[in-house]
């Protein structure tokens, strides 16, 4: 199913749609407050963009530097060209140590690789420890947002889920009560785990270490108890220098939730005493995107979620409507780059309002990319037959100005007189949940002419 | 060809015609007239609190403010009333019942209420996350404006672990309601001495 069909399911519940819209707008507003609180905000974004542009252009160099420095510090580095290889490396590392219980902290990369089902099939217990991720894991759902995985759920639904799995009180859906229950439940999992896996926010080439940012402390707690810590990192997470973090740590949390910084910004340059730290560098299609000048900026993403929170389409259609690991504007461009055929509807889940590009801390040209992807969809012949014909007709009409003028004139005369039953009939897909604007008497062309004549 | 080569070669194939230099990161930025005050409000906004020690010892401060705490461990030499030794166990697991951890941090950051914690003498980093409450001790002159100054002060020439801690652990994953105390400490107090 494409985005329109999945979105239709979501918007069928009008009340929930508005609730979702508001919840995300609230986060967007917090971001604005935090951003406007710093005079240097725009310079930070500009510098972030420059660092990312420079790094992606010399990524081979920085990856090798990262590897060299990490190894010097006694860390293990692995390379995975795709999801399959990544998953196999993880499993091998676990089996080598006889690990059976893995605690995981948030990592969209492992979602992308479908790591959990793979490990479970191989007899490993995998526990997602970020509260939102644990909630969706218990419900057998995918995260609907990259920073707020359970944003699509109401507290009553979380309460019901916990009632079933954590034996919490019936009908108690107080967020503090539920969070405490999860704390107790997950504490036990942390203490009994024999391996941990975290994502990576930044890999520092200069020092060979990785940085993980969380609010809950789950990445730190998970990785500091068992002896084995695996960190999965996309190739684009590399930054050249330690001090580049002064830029990114100022941007990340403010863009994400409006906080000045995450509760924990942890720099890992060593395993725990007697332990091992393995970093898996994953490509999985990323190096192909570098080849394309139109889309390579999408690799500048620091996964803050700001573009998602601001997107009018995401807010009203929900994260699950995208059918791709990363929802929202950035997911739509990444998804289309990865597999245009499967994700052909995603570039159209966009109003081209450009709000995403305007909030993005790395100043990625997200909306331009979606516009470009649309053209690829059309030229690859992936547009539905109906849309394709409409576009063909429209192109033809627009190439004949006299015809266009005549058509416009007739429409202005006839349409306002048509009864609703015809105007908003099934044929007019556009009219679903939309009202036509009032038709003006004259076209723009006519008005312009009149104005010029009066001069 | 190994995956390492495959990936690197694929990247190398696309070497761009021109590149830009790495920019200066220490850009002109906000300077706070009163860093102590800014730190206090930043930390309060993320659920923590800041206190300046006056005419008393850390021991006295803890005795007064953490009355019924049973298990107290410390990585701070100036606190002498620990009930348990943080570095004694061979694994961090026995530290799970710590009620209060008195720890040291190198410096504080005014703009965001964070403190830099990197202590090679602390054997178990899990302590920072297992303890129910944290009391973080910092020399009062060690406070900087922003992360720009912060990153000038830290290095990882040797291996190790270091973290910026800003307030207690928290989550807003259930309907965006902020709950203080997720997996880590439920309370964090920064004590300037
Ligand atoms: S594209 Fe930009 S705004 Fe969107 S998640 Fe990535 S960094 Fe944040």
């Amino acid at each position: 199913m494409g985005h329109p069909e999945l979105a239709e399911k979501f918007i069928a519940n009008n009340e929930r749609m508005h609730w979702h819209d508001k919840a995300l707008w609230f986060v967007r507003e917090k971001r604005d407050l935090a951003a406007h609180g710093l005079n240097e905000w725009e310079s930070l974004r500009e510098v972030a963009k420059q660092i990312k542009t420079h790094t992606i252009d010399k990524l081979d160099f920085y990856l090798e530097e990262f590897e060299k420095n990490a190894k010097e510090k006694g860390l293990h580095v692995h390379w995975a060209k795709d999801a399959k290889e990544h998953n196999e490396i993880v499993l091998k590392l676990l089996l080598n140590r006889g690990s059976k219980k893995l605690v995981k902290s948030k990592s969209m990369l492992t979602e992308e690789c479908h790591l959990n089902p793979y490990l479970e099939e191989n007899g490993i217990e995998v526990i997602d420890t970020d509260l939102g991720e644990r909630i969706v894991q218990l419900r057998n759902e995918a995260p609907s947002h990259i920073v707020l995985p359970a944003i699509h759920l109401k507290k009553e639904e979380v309460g019901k889920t916990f009632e079933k799995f954590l034996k919490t009180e019936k009908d108690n859906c107080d967020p503090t009560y539920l969070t405490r229950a999860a704390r107790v439940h997950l504490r036990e999992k942390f203490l009994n785990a024999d391996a941990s896996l975290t994502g990576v926010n930044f890999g520092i080439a200069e020092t060979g270490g990785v940085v993980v940012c969380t609010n809950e402390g789950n990445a730190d707690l998970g990785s500091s108890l068992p002896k084995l810590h695996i960190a999965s990192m996309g190739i684009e997470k590399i930054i050249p220098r330690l001090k580049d973090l002064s830029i990114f740590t100022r941007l990340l949390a403010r863009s994400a939730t409006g906080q000045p910084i995450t509760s924990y910004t942890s720099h890992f340059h060593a395993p725990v005493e007697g332990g091992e730290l393995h970093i898996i560098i994953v490509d999985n299609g990323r190096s192909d995107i570098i080849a394309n000048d139109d889309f390579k900026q999408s690799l500048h993403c620091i996964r803050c979620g700001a573009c998602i929170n601001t997107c009018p389409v995401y807010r009203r259609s929900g994260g699950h409507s995208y059918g791709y690991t990363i929802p929202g504007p950035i997911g739509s461009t990444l998804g289309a780059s990865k597999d245009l055929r499967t994700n052909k509807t995603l570039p159209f889940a966009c109003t081209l309002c450009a709000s995403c590009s305007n909030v993005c801390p790395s100043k990625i040209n997200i909306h331009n990319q979606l516009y470009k992807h649309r053209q690829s969809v059309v030229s690859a012949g992936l547009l539905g037959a109906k849309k394709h014909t409409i576009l063909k007709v429209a192109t033809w009409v627009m190439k004949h100005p006299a015809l266009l003028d005549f058509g416009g004139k007739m429409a202005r005369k006839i349409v306002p007189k048509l009864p609703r039953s015809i105007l908003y009939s099934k044929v007019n897909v556009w009219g679903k949940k939309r009202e036509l604007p009032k038709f003006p008497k004259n076209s723009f062309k006519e008005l312009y002419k009149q104005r010029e004549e009066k001069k | 060809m190994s995956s390492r080569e495959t990936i690197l070669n694929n990247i190398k194939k696309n070497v761009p015609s021109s590149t830009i230099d790495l920019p200066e990161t220490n850009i002109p930025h906000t300077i706070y007239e009163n860093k102590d005050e800014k730190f206090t409000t930043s930390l309060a906004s993320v659920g923590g609190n800041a206190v300046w020690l006056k005419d008393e010892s850390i021991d006295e401060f803890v005795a007064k403010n953490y009355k019924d705490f049973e298990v107290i461990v410390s990585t701070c030499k100036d606190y002498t009333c620990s009930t348990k030794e943080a570095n004694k166990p061979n694994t961090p697991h026995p530290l799970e019942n710590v009620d209060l951890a008195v720890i040291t941090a190198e410096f504080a950051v005014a703009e965001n209420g964070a403190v830099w914690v990197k202590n090679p003498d602390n054997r178990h980093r899990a302590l920072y996350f297992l303890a129910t409450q944290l009391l973080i001790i910092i020399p009062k002159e060690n406070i900087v404006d922003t992360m720009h100054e912060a990153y000038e002060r830290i290095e990882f020439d040797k291996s190790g672990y270091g973290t910026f801690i800003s307030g207690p652990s928290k989550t807003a994953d259930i309907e965006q309601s902020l709950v203080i105390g997720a997996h880590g400490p439920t309370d964090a107090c920064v004590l300037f001495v």
Side-chain angles (χ1 to χ4, degrees):
Chain A
M1 251 190 282
H3 181 268
E5 293 78 22
L6 291 165
E8 192 156 16
K9 284 196 200 161
F10 188 81
I11 61 174
N13 186 337
N14 205 37
E15 186 263 315
R16 183 184 282 262
M17 179 184 81
H18 286 294
W19 168 81
H20 189 262
D21 177 17
K22 272 205 199 115
L24 284 143
W25 188 250
F26 174 65
V27 186
R28 156 76 209 260
E29 284 179 326
K30 286 199 294 186
R31 172 258 170 219
D32 289 350
L33 268 179
H36 299 159
L38 285 182
N39 288 331
E40 61 269 31
W41 185 255
E42 288 307 316
S43 325
L44 287 170
R45 289 177 72 214
E46 187 52 40
V47 175
K49 180 185 173 142
Q50 290 168 5
I51 295 172
K52 286 289 185 182
T53 307
H54 171 93
T55 315
I56 296 293
D57 283 345
K58 302 179 101 175
L59 192 57
D60 52 327
F61 170 78
Y62 286 117
L63 280 167
E64 287 186 279
E65 191 179 62
F66 174 82
E67 181 189 43
K68 181 177 104 250
N69 291 324
K71 282 186 167 167
E72 258 168 35
K73 291 202 164 74
L75 314 185
H76 305 266
V77 179
H78 309 262
W79 301 74
K81 59 180 180 310
D82 53 22
K84 182 168 170 278
E85 192 175 10
H86 165 263
N87 294 352
E88 286 165 1
I89 294 172
V90 174
L91 182 65
K92 208 170 112 212
L93 290 172
L94 295 173
L95 295 180
N96 280 349
R97 287 197 76 106
S99 302
K100 286 261 166 216
K101 290 177 181 165
L102 178 72
V103 281
K104 247 181 76 199
S105 75
K106 193 144 58 197
S107 151
M108 290 314 289
L109 177 58
T110 57
E111 285 289 328
E112 175 187 319
C113 294
H114 302 290
L115 176 70
N116 287 16
Y118 174 79
L119 291 180
E120 281 158 2
E121 276 164 30
N122 284 284
I124 308 286
E125 180 193 69
V126 187
I127 303 290
D128 281 322
T129 58
D130 170 84
L131 176 60
E133 290 218 315
R134 185 66 183 143
I135 295 169
V136 296
Q137 187 186 31
L138 289 172
R139 297 172 59 89
N140 211 359
E141 288 177 359
S144 67
H145 189 291
I146 59 175
V147 176
L148 318 158
I151 187 79
H152 60 292
L153 294 170
K154 297 202 169 185
K155 57 178 191 248
E156 290 79 12
E157 291 164 304
V158 178
K160 281 268 164 294
T161 306
F162 279 16
E163 233 175 273
K164 185 167 159 205
F165 293 99
L166 310 188
K167 306 285 171 265
T168 50
E169 287 165 24
K170 195 171 177 323
D171 298 328
N172 192 339
C173 57
D174 173 57
T176 305
Y177 170 75
L178 295 174
T179 302
R180 291 283 177 271
R183 180 186 165 100
V184 173
H185 158 74
L186 287 165
R187 249 313 149 102
E188 190 234 290
K189 299 286 182 195
F190 281 123
L191 288 165
N192 289 311
D194 46 24
S196 79
L197 189 147
T198 67
V200 169
N201 290 89
F202 306 98
I204 314 160
E206 176 188 35
T207 63
V210 295
V211 175
V212 182
C213 309
T214 72
N215 277 330
E216 298 183 7
N218 54 320
D220 291 281
L221 195 50
S223 62
S224 61
L225 286 165
K227 296 277 187 234
L228 175 61
H229 174 191
I230 304 169
S232 297
M233 173 175 87
I235 54 171
E236 82 283 19
K237 290 289 153 82
I238 292 286
I239 52 169
R241 306 164 294 191
L242 181 61
K243 66 178 183 186
D244 292 328
L245 287 167
S246 64
I247 301 293
F248 292 110
T249 53
R250 299 191 80 196
L251 286 166
L252 179 61
R254 287 185 174 96
S255 298
T257 58
Q259 287 169 244
I261 189 169
T262 47
S263 305
Y264 304 104
T265 306
S266 300
H267 304 56
F268 295 87
H269 290 78
V272 293
E273 191 185 291
E276 288 169 25
L277 171 49
H278 293 261
I279 300 160
I280 310 177
I281 299 174
V282 188
D283 185 343
N284 205 29
R286 287 163 175 76
S287 60
D288 291 334
I289 300 181
I290 297 180
N292 196 319
D293 279 339
D294 286 340
F295 304 120
K296 73 176 180 192
Q297 274 189 41
S298 60
L299 297 175
H300 299 183
C301 176
I302 58 171
R303 300 287 189 268
C304 70
C307 60
I308 302 177
N309 303 336
T310 199
C311 177
V313 176
Y314 174 89
R315 280 187 276 119
R316 291 172 184 80
S317 67
H320 292 150
S321 66
Y322 292 79
Y324 186 68
T325 318
I326 299 178
I330 184 64
S332 295
T333 179
L334 288 170
S337 289
K338 180 130 207 225
D339 179 354
L340 191 65
R341 184 169 290 274
T342 311
N343 299 309
K344 63 180 185 217
T345 58
L346 297 188
F348 297 91
C350 167
T351 64
L352 293 179
C353 71
S355 184
C356 48
S357 307
N358 285 322
V359 296
C360 175
S362 312
K363 292 183 92 167
I364 302 173
N365 57 347
I366 315 169
H367 73 289
N368 298 100
Q369 298 195 10
L370 293 174
Y371 178 58
K372 283 262 156 70
H373 278 306
R374 289 183 183 190
Q375 294 165 13
S376 314
V377 170
V378 175
S379 51
L382 294 171
L383 205 63
K386 197 162 158 190
K387 268 196 187 168
H388 205 83
T389 320
I390 294 174
L391 275 185
K392 274 242 164 86
V393 174
T395 315
W396 184 75
V397 173
M398 288 195 193
K399 278 190 186 150
H400 298 81
L403 201 68
L404 183 66
D405 288 349
F406 177 73
K409 203 169 231 156
M410 294 316 282
R412 284 195 298 281
K413 281 218 173 94
I414 298 168
V415 174
K417 296 201 181 98
L418 289 176
R420 284 192 71 86
S421 57
I422 294 187
L423 213 45
Y424 293 93
S425 73
K426 273 205 190 115
V427 193
N428 180 11
V429 200
W430 189 91
K432 264 198 228 168
K433 303 224 171 206
R434 281 201 191 100
E435 283 291 319
L436 280 173
K438 235 183 155 176
F439 276 54
K441 266 212 177 69
N442 298 97
S443 71
F444 176 76
K445 202 166 160 186
E446 288 165 357
L447 290 172
Y448 189 76
K449 225 183 197 163
Q450 284 169 11
R451 211 181 101 114
E452 288 298 293
E453 275 163 12
K454 264 191 213 148
K455 265 189 189 168
Chain B
M1 204 166 23
S2 72
S3 292
R4 181 181 186 278
E5 261 84 74
T6 312
I7 296 169
L8 289 173
N9 287 346
N10 208 24
I11 297 170
K12 280 192 189 117
K13 248 187 9 217
N14 309 308
V15 175
S17 44
S18 67
T19 55
I20 60 163
D21 288 341
L22 269 178
E24 172 57 56
T25 53
N26 197 0
I27 56 169
H29 59 265
T30 314
I31 299 291
Y32 300 99
E33 231 165 78
N34 186 337
K35 294 194 213 343
D36 293 356
E37 202 182 15
K38 176 64 189 176
F39 181 82
T40 308
T41 49
S42 303
L43 185 56
S45 79
V46 294
N49 68 311
V51 184
W52 274 258
L53 195 67
K54 285 196 198 84
D55 310 323
E56 57 182 349
S57 67
I58 299 174
D59 286 352
E60 285 160 350
F61 180 86
V62 172
K64 200 168 77 197
N65 292 285
Y66 299 89
K67 270 202 187 86
D68 300 317
F69 285 61
E70 263 176 42
V71 186
I72 302 180
V73 303
S74 170
T75 65
C76 169
K77 290 188 186 72
D78 298 326
Y79 179 72
T80 60
C81 306
S82 306
T83 65
K84 192 172 182 166
E85 244 185 86
N87 282 348
K88 197 153 177 218
N90 286 328
T91 75
H93 298 76
L95 299 172
E96 66 154 312
N97 63 347
V98 169
D99 296 312
L100 176 69
V102 183
I103 65 169
T104 55
E106 287 179 22
F107 60 88
V109 188
E111 70 159 321
N112 55 24
V115 298
W116 176 243
V117 179
K118 183 168 182 257
N119 181 358
D121 297 330
N122 176 33
R123 204 172 158 194
H124 302 298
R125 59 180 85 146
L127 173 67
Y128 308 136
F129 309 95
L130 283 171
T132 310
Q133 297 202 16
L134 278 188
L135 178 64
I136 307 169
I137 315 290
I138 303 183
K140 63 177 179 295
E141 58 282 1
N142 291 359
I143 180 160
V144 301
D145 284 297
T146 68
M147 296 307 277
H148 299 291
E149 290 81 19
Y151 275 100
E152 298 287 329
R153 288 195 173 210
I154 69 184
E155 46 88 19
F156 279 99
D157 294 341
K158 288 201 209 69
S159 64
Y161 167 85
T163 183
F164 283 104
I165 299 181
S166 166
S169 72
K170 49 195 158 292
T171 181
D173 274 351
I174 302 175
E175 271 201 18
Q176 282 300 293
S177 314
L178 180 69
V179 179
I180 301 286
H183 299 303
T186 56
D187 183 86
C189 174
V190 174
L191 182 63
F192 289 98
V193 296

